[in-house]
Amino acid sequence: MVTALWARMQARDWSGVAALLAPDAVVDWPVSAERLPDRDAYVAVNAAYPEGWTVHEPQVIAQGSTVVSEGRVDHEEVGTHVAVAFWTVENGRITSGREYGPCPAATPPRPGEPPCTPAVTPGPRADTRTQGYEDGRCTGAPATGRQPAASTLR
């Protein structure tokens, strides 16, 4: 299922991606503090991502209903990224996921989205979420997420 997900993403087969996911599948992106609350949201955000990327076949390890994947995604403008994800597969469909991808500063913003704005309201922790960026590159410190739509925040 997860290998097929990556292959269908590369093929831009969005209806095929949707067929692998349960309608209520929730996918979290902890690095950018986003939650995609269902299959349609996951498909839409991936389909809208700026073109120029190539998904390579991932390494996949499964134990019971838990599947871990590590894959490489090359983008002609922003370079190579590695994505690691933890998936739950039940009854022949992906029911949830937790994807760890590149720092948000390393990816182009989605259409209509400002580049790399803090995903938190300014406050005591806001300063720790903006550390680690130099000239738009992640240096490994806590991430500054994109400002997600209110419906995607947990």
Side-chain angles (χ1 to χ4, degrees), residues 82-102:
V82 174
V84 174
F86 296 85
W87 304 100
T88 303
V89 178
E90 300 172 326
N91 301 317
R93 291 219 178 149
I94 297 169
T95 58
S96 67
R98 195 162 183 82
E99 291 184 303
Y100 295 87

Side-chain angles (χ1 to χ4, degrees), residues 6-141:
W6 283 74
R8 291 177 187 184
M9 294 265 260
Q10 172 56 29
R12 302 343 183 239
D13 175 6
W14 305 117
S15 61
V17 168
L20 297 172
L21 299 164
D24 59 349
V26 173
V27 178
D28 288 314
W29 290 349
V31 174
S32 60
E34 293 174 275
R35 169 168 276 184
L36 303 171
D38 57 33
R39 168 182 63 198
D40 294 339
Y42 182 78
V43 171
V45 76
N46 281 289
Y49 197 83
E51 271 300 328
W53 46 277
T54 302
V55 176
H56 299 277
E57 185 172 339
Q59 179 177 17
V60 176
I61 299 170
Q63 182 174 352
S65 63
T66 301
V67 180
V68 179
S69 65
E70 177 187 65
R72 190 178 94 224
V73 180
D74 296 327
H75 192 280
E76 59 193 32
E77 292 181 20
V78 295
T80 298
H81 297 111
V82 174
V84 174
F86 296 85
W87 304 100
T88 303
V89 178
E90 300 172 326
N91 301 317
R93 291 219 178 149
I94 297 169
T95 58
S96 67
R98 195 162 183 82
E99 291 184 303
Y100 295 87
C103 294
T107 61
R110 290 186 291 272
E113 174 182 79
C116 275
T117 58
V120 295
T121 303
R125 293 192 63 220
D127 60 327
T128 64
R129 292 186 52 89
T130 59
Q131 294 171 1
Y133 289 89
E134 296 174 9
D135 300 320
R137 295 184 327 258
C138 178
T139 60

